[in-house]
Amino acid sequence: MKLKIYMATIVVLLIIAIILYNKKEKYITKTVLISDTILNIKAQTTERNMEKLINAITNEINRIDFIINPYNTESEISILNKKSLEGETQIKVSKELASIISTGLKYSKLADGYDISIRPLIELWGFGVKTNQTVPSKEEIDNALLNINYTKAMLYTNDNDDIYINLSSPLAFDFGASGKGYIIDKIKNIFNKFDIKNYLIDYGGDTYANGVNQKGNPWVIAIRNPRNDEDGFLGLIQSTNTTIVTSGDYERFFIENNTNYHHIINSITGYPSTNAISATIVHTNAEDADSLSTIAFLLGTNFFNNTNFIYKEAYIVDENGELFIQTNYSF
């Protein structure tokens, strides 16, 4: 009888220990592969809460995938592109996609070479659904450029508050320059719902740091050396409630005739940009940071001359490998 009581007591204590363990807040790290992108999360929360958090984040990313992923044939953007290329000139869009398009049009107006209707060039260079990647002919590039012009698109709202995109020319849109940032901003909202104050998001290299790390200090984010990981990093950024996004020619590329051809294509020339080898933007908004990092890469150090760009810090490694830094102290 005493043995049975003893064993029962141990079982009860174990159950209590497990409950207390699951309720104890600590810094927990989780890694998830979703939409062909690695998501790393580190947050101060409980084990049970983290499971619920990851589930909510996964559901949200899957939801957004059905809006902006051009590789998903059932996504809203894929359907929009299909209708546009088939000749439809007035296409109804969701409020969320309209917001993303609006941001894309804003930055397309601000920066030469940045255009959200760049999808034909991405496909042509093999960075779309095609698996073969090769340098297109000049004639192919010139033909693709004829179908890239964001000014041919305009959003409007009718009397019933339905939102439409009006197209004066067939266009195909791509949000690869801002999509991950948009997703991070949505993930931030989920952390707020879970009342988690201290966390770090790394979604495919785009990061957002909130609160403090386990030592009670600001998070420290490394800027990758675009040419040699073995030499460490270009710099360390202390980050609290900010997002850090880098665009580089080393992310997606192929080599032909000993030349590196990457996925960040100038919408004016039709060729991968050669004004920089990496560009990093520090901002409070991830969607803006994502767009601006692409623009900074396209423009190189000329990016610093445009007063319309709003950011906290910018780090640009030019085509010669020299690092340039600019800080907006009034941000």
Side-chain angles (χ1 to χ4, degrees):
M1 177 63 75
K2 289 184 178 180
L3 179 60
K4 289 182 179 180
I5 294 174
Y6 177 73
M7 293 301 295
T9 302
I10 291 177
V11 170
V12 171
L13 290 174
L14 284 172
I15 293 172
I16 293 173
I18 292 171
I19 293 173
L20 292 176
Y21 178 80
N22 287 330
K23 287 186 176 181
K24 182 181 179 181
E25 284 198 353
K26 57 184 178 179
Y27 281 82
I28 304 170
T29 302
K30 294 290 183 181
T31 299
V32 179
L33 176 62
I34 183 168
S35 295
D36 295 323
T37 304
I38 295 176
L39 169 69
N40 291 304
I41 297 289
K42 189 168 188 177
Q44 183 184 24
T45 186
T46 65
E47 290 283 355
R48 181 174 296 177
N49 221 25
M50 177 61 93
E51 291 179 8
K52 295 178 181 179
L53 175 73
I54 293 298
N55 185 60
I57 289 173
T58 300
N59 289 339
E60 180 69 349
I61 293 176
N62 285 331
R63 184 188 70 81
I64 298 171
D65 186 85
F66 274 89
I67 298 175
I68 65 172
N69 185 354
Y71 307 102
N72 181 346
T73 58
E74 297 181 3
S75 71
E76 186 177 1
I77 189 60
S78 289
I79 295 171
L80 168 61
N81 286 342
K82 185 174 184 293
K83 289 181 177 180
S84 172
L85 296 177
E86 288 175 348
E88 290 194 38
T89 58
Q90 293 183 325
I91 304 170
K92 186 176 179 180
V93 295
S94 66
K95 183 177 181 181
E96 189 164 9
L97 181 58
S99 174
I100 296 167
I101 292 174
S102 179
T103 299
L105 291 175
K106 177 185 75 173
Y107 282 116
S108 296
K109 293 175 184 177
L110 291 177
D112 291 339
Y114 184 94
D115 193 315
I116 58 171
S117 65
I118 200 171
R119 186 72 190 169
L121 276 173
I122 293 175
E123 293 283 358
L124 180 62
W125 279 89
F127 293 110
V129 295
K130 296 194 308 182
T131 56
N132 59 310
Q133 296 173 329
T134 187
V135 179
S137 68
K138 186 178 186 305
E139 181 181 5
E140 289 175 317
I141 291 173
D142 289 342
N143 288 335
L145 287 172
L146 294 175
N147 299 311
I148 298 171
N149 190 343
Y150 72 90
T151 65
K152 301 295 184 180
M154 182 182 68
L155 292 167
Y156 72 94
T157 304
N158 66 12
D159 294 337
N160 296 322
D161 288 331
D162 295 322
I163 306 175
Y164 287 81
I165 184 168
N166 185 72
L167 301 165
S168 56
S169 179
L171 300 175
F173 301 96
D174 189 285
F175 302 106
S178 61
K180 287 192 296 183
Y182 180 81
I183 288 172
I184 286 179
D185 284 331
K186 291 299 181 181
I187 293 175
K188 286 159 55 179
N189 294 336
I190 296 175
F191 276 93
N192 290 336
K193 290 179 181 178
F194 277 77
D195 197 29
I196 298 175
K197 307 296 184 184
N198 302 313
Y199 61 88
L200 177 68
I201 303 168
D202 179 344
Y203 186 58
D206 290 14
T207 65
Y208 177 80
N210 203 81
V212 296
N213 61 23
Q214 57 266 49
K215 294 182 180 180
N217 300 320
W219 298 91
V220 178
I221 310 298
I223 301 178
R224 177 177 174 177
N225 185 328
R227 284 294 178 263
N228 192 347
D229 284 338
E230 294 180 359
D231 288 344
F233 39 81
L234 293 177
L236 296 174
I237 301 176
Q238 286 193 336
S239 179
T240 299
N241 306 338
T242 53
T243 188
I244 300 171
V245 179
T246 298
S247 294
D249 64 2
Y250 51 82
E251 294 175 328
R252 293 168 59 198
F253 65 92
F254 65 91
I255 297 175
E256 185 171 311
N257 295 326
N258 297 319
T259 301
N260 178 316
Y261 296 96
H262 58 79
H263 74 292
I264 307 177
I265 300 170
N266 187 307
S267 65
I268 295 176
T269 67
Y271 289 86
S273 178
T274 58
N275 291 324
I277 60 178
S278 77
T280 300
I281 297 295
V282 182
H283 204 291
T284 53
N285 180 280
E287 185 180 14
D288 288 326
D290 210 358
S291 300
L292 287 169
S293 71
T294 301
I295 291 171
F297 184 94
L298 290 167
L299 299 181
T301 54
N302 288 327
F303 176 82
F304 297 131
N305 300 327
N306 193 319
T307 57
N308 291 312
F309 300 142
I310 300 173
Y311 53 90
K312 187 174 182 180
E313 296 174 36
Y315 301 75
I316 297 176
V317 181
D318 72 4
E319 66 274 25
N320 298 315
E322 187 173 354
L323 174 63
F324 294 84
I325 304 173
Q326 183 162 293
T327 302
N328 182 358
Y329 293 101
S330 62
F331 185 88

